[in-house]
Amino acid sequence: MEGLFNSTEELVSGFIKYLTLGIDIMAAVIIGITITIAFISALKIVRKPTNERTLAAETVRLSLARSLLLVLDFVVASDILKTILVPSLSELSLLAFIVAIRISLSWSLSKELTRHTDHLKQ
């Protein structure tokens, strides 16, 4: 059985590669669906009266931001799994940099979502 996988390490490596590919595809699908829904919603907003547009636009914007936060979480998980395959110092430092940027983006989006959600409740 020295065919496809010679060792457990190769089996795990292959599994992680397919898993990260699946996560990346899932993130791309979520982005595509979210943008399509936001675009359709934006087209519907144009037909609304002016006084209703602001609230409707904020709702679409918040929905888009929530979906992007979800995608950021998926992509960070994928990057962490990819680094498991090649745990060199340069890969780890690159991962740390990428994760730091994505965490700051997530934090920033999350704060903005909270602020806007609280504003909309008032």
Side-chain angles (χ1 to χ4, degrees):
M1 281 259 328
E2 290 186 25
L4 194 54
F5 297 106
N6 291 329
S7 69
T8 307
E9 184 177 319
E10 289 178 5
L11 179 63
V12 170
S13 174
F15 175 74
I16 290 175
K17 285 180 184 178
Y18 284 116
L19 183 62
T20 57
L21 177 64
I23 292 170
D24 291 341
I25 290 170
M26 194 170 21
V29 168
I30 292 171
I31 289 172
I33 291 170
T34 301
I35 289 176
T36 302
I37 292 170
F39 180 71
I40 292 169
S41 299
L43 290 177
K44 290 178 182 178
I45 290 171
V46 173
R47 294 185 290 180
K48 290 188 177 197
T50 307
N51 58 348
E52 293 178 22
R53 283 186 194 166
T54 304
L55 181 60
E58 281 299 310
T59 303
V60 170
R61 194 167 161 256
L62 291 174
S63 175
L64 184 62
R66 282 187 190 98
S67 296
L68 291 177
L69 275 172
L70 175 66
V71 168
L72 276 173
D73 290 338
F74 279 122
V75 175
V76 166
S78 176
D79 285 343
I80 290 170
L81 287 172
K82 287 175 189 171
T83 303
I84 290 172
L85 297 176
V86 187
S88 68
L89 185 58
S90 63
E91 284 292 321
L92 289 174
S93 58
L94 180 62
L95 174 69
F97 181 71
I98 290 170
V99 168
I101 289 172
R102 289 188 177 148
I103 286 174
S104 64
L105 282 171
S106 292
W107 180 80
S108 172
L109 277 172
S110 151
K111 286 294 181 188
E112 185 173 339
L113 282 173
T114 303
R115 190 182 76 224
H116 284 292
T117 303
D118 291 344
H119 182 264
L120 289 175
K121 286 179 183 176
Q122 295 173 354

